[in-house]
Amino acid sequence: MNGVPRDGPPRFLRLSLVTCPVALYPATSESEKVSFNQLNRKTGHRIKYAKVDADTGEEVDNEDTVKGYKVDTDTFIEVTKEEIENVALGSTRTIEIDEFVDRSEIDPRYLIRPYCLTPDGKVGHDAFAVIRDTIREMNKVAIGRVVLTNREHIIALEPLDKGLMGTLLRYSYEVRSAEEYFDDIQDVKMTRDMLDLARHIVNQKAGRFEPDKFEDQYETALIDLINQKRAGNPITTKARPRSENVVDLMGALRKSIGDERAAKVSKPAKKPRKVASGQKEMLMPIAGKKPTKEVAAKKPAAKPQRKSA
């Protein structure tokens, strides 16, 4: 599967008496994001974290570390790895489909993380196709249960190309009531003119969601900062953007329409960012990716690789 490790052991997808072996793969990755280590400012050395006994101050080896549930300040109930593994979970290896619901019934707040499901091995493709195509034709989302890292999760299954996408869902007790936050919002009566102007702005910005159009500006700024420091260039502090309260809402809406029209007229075609002179040798390709130059030479039409520190 393109070098992507499966998540957990082999599993079975079951719809009533129809069963097929499946593999579960993470559908997203954050490995390309910039990450930092903590250093000792005085020596520049990396800081290591040790497990230390809170009372004796002595370091504890991994084999002597166990899980404990806190009852009160000084009392813990010790639970071993074997005891946790022996907890009876019927869906440990099986993704059991319990029901089918409309996609619109799933509140976005319940969505956690997507996975890709594929048939595992050469057998089971027919059964997998039956389950996938039935869900697609019924225009429903299958709701089941799956065990990951010794915890049972709700999973929503829906067709995605030739496979299935499984999205982990939160339990009801994990989702806070919106009223906790929205009760203090004032009821405001908007005039028709204001709503018409706001709709006009929305129509000017209307488009299709294309993830490739968006750039993680913070991540790009971090990479630029690191490359500048590696080159020994001075770092200048940028002025923070000012945020002011809008006093004349109608005036702000009219000005927004004018700014949007001007932006559309003057907006140049987006070009790939150029690497500054003397900076190429400092840029390292992202792990697991081909260098940008090589990719560009072989696949001119492919989307540009994100610059890496």
Side-chain angles (χ1 to χ4, degrees):
M1 186 56 63
N2 298 324
V4 178
R6 75 167 76 212
D7 197 307
R11 292 181 169 84
F12 292 89
L13 177 62
R14 183 163 62 198
L15 172 59
S16 190
L17 298 179
V18 179
T19 304
C20 63
V22 294
L24 197 65
Y25 297 93
T28 59
S29 170
E30 296 192 358
S31 61
E32 296 178 358
K33 287 186 176 291
V34 172
S35 60
F36 294 99
N37 292 299
Q38 293 201 345
L39 308 177
N40 182 339
R41 185 194 297 273
K42 296 179 181 179
T43 65
H45 300 158
R46 182 178 173 181
I47 296 174
K48 290 177 59 179
Y49 289 90
K51 296 178 181 179
V52 177
D53 188 299
D55 291 335
T56 67
E58 296 179 356
E59 189 171 343
V60 182
D61 294 331
N62 285 334
E63 57 266 25
D64 295 325
T65 303
V66 296
K67 294 182 181 294
Y69 178 82
K70 186 175 181 179
V71 179
D72 54 45
T73 305
D74 300 313
T75 307
F76 295 86
I77 297 176
E78 182 180 313
V79 182
T80 67
K81 180 180 178 180
E82 290 73 21
E83 289 171 333
I84 292 176
E85 290 177 347
N86 285 332
V87 171
L89 288 174
S91 59
T92 300
R93 294 290 178 91
T94 302
I95 302 174
E96 183 83 39
I97 296 178
D98 295 322
E99 60 182 2
F100 294 86
V101 302
D102 291 334
R103 183 66 177 81
S104 59
E105 293 180 0
I106 303 177
D107 188 318
R109 291 175 296 173
Y110 284 82
L111 305 179
I112 303 178
R113 186 167 56 255
Y115 286 85
C116 291
L117 270 78
T118 68
D120 190 17
K122 297 181 179 180
V123 299
H125 283 253
D126 290 347
F128 183 88
V130 166
I131 296 173
R132 177 200 61 206
D133 292 349
T134 302
I135 298 173
R136 177 176 282 132
E137 288 186 13
M138 299 293 291
N139 196 25
K140 296 284 187 178
V141 176
I143 303 296
R145 289 159 287 138
V146 62
V147 173
L148 292 170
T149 60
N150 291 323
R151 287 191 181 272
E152 188 174 60
H153 300 268
I154 311 169
I155 189 168
L157 302 171
E158 50 193 319
L160 179 64
D161 297 328
K162 295 193 297 182
L164 287 169
M165 181 181 71
T167 305
L168 296 190
L169 303 178
R170 294 180 173 89
Y171 287 96
S172 60
Y173 65 83
E174 297 178 286
V175 178
R176 292 178 174 172
S177 170
E179 282 73 15
E180 296 180 38
Y181 310 99
F182 299 159
D183 272 354
D184 294 334
I185 298 178
Q186 298 177 8
D187 292 325
V188 179
K189 183 70 174 178
M190 302 302 298
T191 65
R192 173 57 57 183
D193 288 343
M194 285 188 178
L195 289 175
D196 287 343
L197 286 172
R199 287 194 188 96
H200 190 73
I201 295 172
V202 171
N203 287 331
Q204 284 184 317
K205 288 179 172 287
R208 295 178 60 87
F209 177 59
E210 300 175 26
D212 291 347
K213 293 193 301 187
F214 295 89
E215 179 184 7
D216 188 338
Q217 297 180 9
Y218 178 72
E219 192 80 2
T220 301
L222 278 179
I223 293 170
D224 288 340
L225 170 65
I226 293 168
N227 282 320
Q228 291 296 328
K229 292 181 76 72
R230 291 172 74 175
N233 297 330
I235 305 300
T236 56
T237 303
K238 297 180 181 179
R240 292 181 178 272
R242 295 178 61 186
S243 178
E244 299 178 355
N245 290 330
V246 176
V247 178
D248 182 4
L249 183 55
M250 183 67 82
L253 288 168
R254 290 197 178 101
K255 185 176 184 302
S256 296
I257 292 176
D259 289 348
E260 285 299 318
R261 284 175 178 164
K264 282 195 172 184
V265 171
S266 62
K267 188 175 183 181
K270 192 171 181 180
K271 297 180 180 179
R273 293 186 59 185
K274 292 183 179 180
V275 178
S277 176
Q279 202 176 60
K280 281 187 176 180
E281 63 274 13
M282 295 186 297
L283 300 179
M284 299 166 58
I286 299 167
K289 299 273 187 179
K290 293 182 180 178
T292 305
K293 188 174 181 181
E294 182 184 340
V295 174
K298 292 185 178 180
K299 298 181 180 179
K303 66 179 181 180
Q305 295 287 334
R306 182 174 65 80
K307 191 170 67 176
S308 175

